[in-house]
Amino acid sequence: MQGTAYTTTPSDLAGEPAMAVPQIRNAGPGYEWKAVALLSLAFGLVGLDRWIIAPLAPAIIADLGISPPLINALIAILGVTWGIAAVAMGSLSDRIGRRKVMLPAILIFSIASGLSGLAAGFTSLLLIRGFMGIAEGAFCPTSFASTAEASNPSRIGFNQGLQQSMFALFGLGFGPILATWLLGFTSWRGVFAIVMLPGVILTVLLWMVIREPDTITDKRQATTKASVSEVLKVRNVQISMVGLLCAMCGIFVLSANTPIYLASYLKLTPIQVGLVTSAIGFGGFVGQWVLPALSDIFGRRPMAVLGFVGGAAFVYLFMNIGAQPMQLFGALFAATVFSFGLLSLLTGPVAAESAPAGMVSTAAGLIIGVGEIFGGGLALLVAGYVIATYGIQYMLYLALGGLVFGAFLMLGLAETAPRKVKRNA
């Protein structure tokens, strides 16, 4: 494979998608696979740095003397700052370049992860995690745009799915295993220091490989870019913003509260809780890669609808299974295959193909921002209220409701997959 060079014709911004992923000239043979591989590893590191705090929570609670609910606050603050930064920095990278945003971002969030181990109390850890969210939010839409720009049009879904699947695999799959293994010979502070190191290495490798798209390197095109307000007029962007909120409502509510539900409501043993909960990471990995890849063939809209319908169906099944670990694992695995797949589908190929020319990162940033702030932040606060008022089992209805609403919403998505658009032309 090699870096692609192609153009498409934008259509009306307020209606049909623009389908204008920029070109990268003179990238050289093998650019596509090298760029996608490094960007995938980097996004896996984002997932690891973000979620490794969960398996370290018992050690942090014991050392800093904080209460368990404050761990949710540490997770939520990163989501909120991530969302705000994604909106602002996605647009900035479309103006000044991918490298100028992406490279400092990965270095900063890696260092911030290491600094987490120096926190003396809850307040300092909260500030560090919030700052880390800003850097990760800047990296997220910029890296998605870089992956789209490095990809052949027929492989955008496959490549962006691969990249985003690393988030679940590293963060929710391998992360807990790595954290508990490292705690065998170091403290939680040492774990944060260790996971900082890969980010420094990846910063250097990305600096060596990543190139800028034509819309940034060619100054003649700079004046023809759409504004943020015009991006917000694109129907697919509007639908994807609300759709990602719905998907994240399901994903984050499940990810944050499933262990408590299994232990306190279903009375599973710690080993059983760990087994069932691991389905989130491994199911998310499969879904984030497979659903966008299938959308290259069958279309973005059918796969988006299927993602929400399948996620809702298996969450409902999960709600109605008793204390049966293997059945719970199967239902949760399937639910996350579908629901996590929506994250990479909406923020990846749908955003890239719907954005006006030169505004891929802006479109992804807007979608991610709304999803993170409201789905990754506000939804957790609502879930906390539901749990405190009605009981832990009722948080599942919040997750289910978000997925059901999203299924109806996706019916209005305009098709953007190149194969489907060409076939229907």
Side-chain angles (χ1 to χ4, degrees), residues 70 139 173 197 339 373:
L70 292 180
F139 179 82
L197 299 177
S339 56
I373 294 170

Side-chain angles (χ1 to χ4, degrees), residues 176-212:
I177 299 171
L178 178 64
T180 53
W181 176 68
L182 290 174
L183 284 173
F185 56 87
T186 187
S187 67
W188 65 271
R189 299 178 186 276
V191 174
F192 278 122
I194 291 171
V195 299
M196 172 184 70
L197 299 177
V200 178
I201 298 171
L202 278 170
T203 301
V204 176
L205 294 176
L206 287 167
W207 173 78
M208 295 171 62
V209 172
I210 296 300
R211 300 290 178 262
E212 299 289 4

Side-chain angles (χ1 to χ4, degrees), residues 26-353:
N26 304 319
Y31 177 75
E32 180 177 353
W33 74 262
K34 287 186 288 187
V36 172
L38 287 176
L39 291 165
S40 298
L41 289 173
F43 200 58
L45 186 61
V46 169
L48 180 65
D49 286 347
R50 177 170 185 169
W51 285 106
I52 202 167
I53 193 171
L56 296 178
I60 295 173
I61 291 170
D63 186 25
L64 299 183
I66 62 178
S67 62
L70 292 180
I71 295 296
N72 280 332
L74 294 173
I75 296 173
I77 187 65
L78 192 148
V80 172
T81 57
W82 176 316
I84 294 171
V87 173
M89 303 306 285
S91 177
L92 182 64
S93 82
D94 281 330
R95 297 197 302 272
I96 69 173
R98 309 295 183 225
R99 292 164 57 88
K100 291 179 181 178
V101 174
M102 183 192 310
L103 298 179
I106 187 172
L107 184 61
I108 290 170
F109 79 65
S110 298
I111 293 173
S113 180
L115 291 176
S116 298
L118 301 178
F122 170 75
T123 302
S124 58
L125 188 54
L126 184 73
L127 292 174
I128 292 170
R129 300 298 289 183
F131 183 68
M132 182 176 166
I134 294 173
E136 292 190 341
F139 179 82
C140 191
T142 308
S143 70
F144 294 173
S146 291
T147 298
E149 290 153 358
S151 301
N152 183 286
S154 65
R155 290 190 291 268
I156 288 180
F158 181 91
N159 287 345
Q160 289 193 314
L162 171 63
Q163 179 196 10
Q164 296 196 45
S165 70
M166 295 297 107
F167 181 90
L169 182 64
F170 282 47
L172 297 168
F174 294 150
I177 299 171
L178 178 64
T180 53
W181 176 68
L182 290 174
L183 284 173
F185 56 87
T186 187
S187 67
W188 65 271
R189 299 178 186 276
V191 174
F192 278 122
I194 291 171
V195 299
M196 172 184 70
L197 299 177
V200 178
I201 298 171
L202 278 170
T203 301
V204 176
L205 294 176
L206 287 167
W207 173 78
M208 295 171 62
V209 172
I210 296 300
R211 300 290 178 262
E212 299 289 4
D214 291 354
T215 49
I216 292 169
T217 58
D218 190 345
K219 294 182 179 180
R220 292 173 300 175
Q221 296 186 36
T223 57
T224 65
K225 291 183 182 179
S227 65
V228 173
S229 62
E230 288 175 316
V231 177
L232 285 170
K233 294 177 183 177
V234 179
R235 185 176 67 187
N236 272 10
V237 173
Q238 297 170 351
I239 291 175
S240 295
M241 288 166 67
V242 182
L244 191 67
L245 188 162
C246 294
M248 284 190 165
C249 181
I251 291 164
F252 279 89
V253 169
L254 283 174
S255 298
N257 297 291
T258 291
I260 303 173
Y261 168 76
L262 297 172
S264 64
Y265 186 73
L266 294 184
K267 308 298 182 184
L268 299 188
T269 66
I271 293 178
Q272 291 172 330
V273 170
L275 169 66
V276 176
T277 305
S278 70
I280 297 175
F282 296 112
F285 162 69
V286 173
Q288 285 191 285
W289 191 356
V290 171
L291 200 69
L294 290 176
S295 76
D296 283 339
I297 302 171
F298 300 107
R300 313 302 184 204
R301 182 169 57 187
M303 290 299 102
V305 174
L306 178 63
F308 277 108
V309 171
F314 282 103
V315 166
Y316 181 79
L317 179 62
F318 181 79
M319 293 167 57
N320 290 280
I321 296 174
Q324 303 293 327
M326 295 311 298
Q327 294 180 34
L328 289 167
F329 178 93
L332 189 58
F333 180 89
T336 52
V337 164
F338 287 106
S339 56
F340 265 86
L342 293 163
L343 297 186
S344 50
L345 178 60
L346 297 177
T347 62
V350 171
E353 295 161 350

